[in-house]
Amino acid sequence: MGKPTGFLEYERLSEAYEPVPERVKKYREFVLRLTDEQTAIQGARCMDCGIPFCNSGCPVNNIIPDFNDLVYRNQWFEAIRVLHSTNNFPEFTGRICPAPCEAACTLNINDDAVGIKSIEHAIIDKAWEEGWVKPEPPAAKNGKKVAVVGSGPAGLAAAQQLAREGYDVTVFEKNDAIGGLLRYGIPDFKMEKHLIDRRVEQMEAEGVSFRAGVVVGHDDMPAGIANDAREMVSAEQLKKDFDAVILAGGSEVPRDLPVPGRELDGVHFAMEFLVPQNREVAGGPANPISATGKHVVVIGGGDTGSDCVGTSNRHGAASVTQFELMPMPPEEEDKLMTWPYWPVKLRTSSSHEEGCERDFAVATKEFVGENGKVTTLRACRVEWKDGRMVEVPGSEFELKADLVLFAMGFTHPVGGLLDAFGVEKDGRANAKATTDGEGCYKTNVDKVFAAGDVRRGQSLVVWAIREGRQAARAVDEYIMGESLLPR
């Protein structure tokens, strides 16, 4: 695949970014896509490795060597056909996926991995520019109806697969616009929302109906999650009106930190900060939480924390500090020990590069305030012994904090949704459903399936797309007795 000697002749070329002083002034994307010529050269680096572990490293099992080779040979139309055969929305994954495929790349054992993510990004953007991405309506309808609850990547993938197979699909979304946390959780500087809008237009042309502003079966919303519901639909009504229901909501209940001072003004969940900001960028009201001129502390070292850092920098924060409870990971992994699996190593995001102090093995003990507003954070150093966290004696310290954002992940989906359908939960309070064998993705309730974060817990967009596609096949088999949809 690619050029047999390409990996010996060409160096990895990563996508460039706009300069920090320019990009922090705005909320639009700042990644500069590779040119066609640069992409072809990167495709040439794909080795004829025999067993492409990148395929299995990718949750949707993208046929990576094939589209690398096609780009190298300047066969872009064929490349997007191959890419779309496994991934409904490569413009999402090509921007925000952490690229586990690259960690699994054979070349990554002792060299720089093939830039698979940048190649995927270039293929799909070129396909849209050339007008190759068009609606694919079914040749005929089958008279069956499916409801999809949640319009994130899992719900959208399931809906598109089923609509193309002839089903009448209705997607229900509690917010005023389609996209789930793709729209309201991910900042525009990482993924602009017109990318969602054009996919919605495509899917509407394929026969999918979208009903925004509708809550299904429950009214309990966790802090920080947008809720524009104008009406409610009962779980019983959906089961009555549709031949199958796919629950594809997100994992939306955030982890809290119940330490003294938690009630102070200025201490918030990350989504209480990020969601209103996305609304403001879309032309809505101003974000009620401002980081301008403030000393911001972000607690949590993952992607959500990084998004808080980038947004705070764009507000003009006086300082941004990010705490992580775990020890600082190594800057470079031991590839011979970890390959082809996703390694634990220090990852520095574009938001970190814009300005952020990072500190590891830190536990927050208390928030201190004046006149009801947080002013100081008290913390300590910790060590991990035999899997247990132990405070380092005499390590307490204080840090000025005007705004504290909790970005420690999400525990499980909103309980009311699963309860309304009577869906059995697993030990983590997610919907209980298997992913293999007969009845995969099916819950204990007849006609009700679950896919994405609502089933597997907080995870990646690419995993959500995979589960949505597989759930669509499971529903097709359940209703029709067999399915030609790919897994």
Side-chain angles (χ1 to χ4, degrees), residues 167 473 476-484:
Y167 289 87
R473 177 184 171 90
D476 192 27
E477 289 178 334
Y478 168 78
I479 294 176
M480 307 302 291
E482 61 181 1
S483 178
L484 297 178

Side-chain angles (χ1 to χ4, degrees), residues 54-62 85-90 92-93 97 100 152-159 161 246 248 434-437 440-441 450-453 455-456 459-474 485-487:
C54 56
N55 286 3
S56 56
C58 171
V60 293
N61 303 123
N62 277 337
S85 70
T86 56
N87 187 350
N88 296 67
F89 313 117
F92 303 162
T93 53
C97 182
L156 292 178
Q161 292 293 96
I246 299 177
T434 64
T435 60
D436 53 18
C440 63
Y441 292 96
D453 287 6
R455 190 204 68 81
R456 66 177 288 117
S459 190
L460 305 175
V461 167
V462 67
W463 272 107
I465 294 173
R466 171 196 173 102
E467 295 220 343
R469 289 171 61 89
Q470 292 187 342
R473 177 184 171 90
L485 286 171
R487 290 200 65 185

Side-chain angles (χ1 to χ4, degrees), residues 261-283:
R262 170 64 180 89
E263 74 286 351
L264 291 169
D265 185 22
V267 181
H268 301 276
F269 290 114
M271 301 310 291
E272 293 176 315
F273 179 57
L274 296 176
V275 170
Q277 188 59 50
N278 281 9
R279 291 172 172 274
E280 178 182 333
V281 172

